[in-house]
Amino acid sequence: GEAANVDVEQVPIEKRFEEFPSVLDINKIRDILPHRYPFLLVDRVIEYQPGVTAVGIKNVTINDNFFPGHFPERPIMPGVLMVEAMAQVGGLVMLKPEAGGSKEIFFFAGVDKVRFRKPVIAGDTLVMRMNLVKFQKRFGIVKMEGKAYVGKNVVCEGEFTLAMASSD
């Protein structure tokens, strides 16, 4: 009867939205990526298929260290840092946790066809998907494609090249 179709308005807004799942939390991310404050730009991984794809989140907050200078009157996340955050998610795709201690580390080698679609501001949740396109093992070259979203909108996209560097 009537009780079955509960009016959505009766559920308070703070309880209406599910939390993103956490496949890798910040501690697991820190085990895999070498980056540290203020340059670790991935807070959580919500989907992870090592060697294939990953979806990472950056919670953009007014306390991020780049906002005071970019720009004081209109704080927006620098595009290059969105690209860097996406590259870090790409690193997670390639650096499998069990290989975390391995000599293979990937450097960000290039980025092509980058487009910024909308400004990202404090309070936004940047959701970044990186997909492996090609891994040329012989040359240690990885090609990936990435898209970053805020809600349903693409805010940044591009093609990424990562290069393997063995530490001798």
Side-chain angles (χ1 to χ4, degrees):
E2 289 294 307
N5 39 357
V6 175
D7 186 10
V8 74
E9 293 303 312
Q10 291 176 342
V11 178
I13 191 153
E14 66 271 23
K15 293 182 179 175
R16 265 183 237 162
F17 301 99
E18 288 298 315
E19 189 178 25
F20 283 108
S22 200
V23 180
L24 298 179
D25 68 13
I26 191 62
N27 295 311
K28 292 202 185 85
I29 291 168
R30 284 158 48 105
D31 287 343
I32 302 168
L33 288 181
H35 309 74
R36 291 296 177 264
Y37 176 85
F39 222 71
L40 178 53
L41 298 172
V42 185
D43 293 320
R44 177 190 284 205
V45 172
I46 63 173
E47 188 180 298
Y48 191 45
Q49 287 177 267
V52 182
T53 188
V55 180
I57 281 181
K58 164 143 183 57
N59 295 304
V60 182
T61 86
I62 197 62
N63 292 313
D64 277 313
N65 70 337
F66 45 79
F67 280 133
H70 195 272
F71 300 96
E73 299 307 312
R74 184 160 187 240
I76 62 172
M77 182 173 184
V80 290
L81 291 184
M82 274 189 257
V83 169
E84 170 63 27
M86 293 166 77
Q88 290 181 15
V89 176
L92 289 166
V93 173
M94 298 316 296
L95 299 167
K96 302 168 186 57
E98 58 276 17
S102 88
K103 287 189 176 166
E104 294 169 6
I105 184 164
F106 287 89
F107 288 114
F108 188 10
V111 65
D112 294 287
K113 299 185 183 158
V114 174
R115 291 288 173 270
F116 302 108
R117 305 281 178 206
K118 280 193 150 134
V120 172
I121 64 170
D124 285 344
T125 301
L126 191 64
V127 181
M128 305 163 281
R129 177 180 290 277
M130 295 292 288
N131 294 324
L132 180 72
V133 176
K134 190 159 78 179
F135 182 17
Q136 298 169 287
K137 279 200 174 69
R138 217 174 114 216
F139 303 107
I141 299 288
V142 176
K143 297 273 189 195
M144 306 194 113
E145 57 179 26
K147 282 193 166 127
Y149 302 83
V150 172
K152 293 182 172 72
N153 298 309
V154 175
V155 294
C156 178
E157 58 190 313
E159 297 172 1
F160 293 70
T161 306
L162 304 176
M164 196 188 292
S166 22
S167 52
D168 297 329

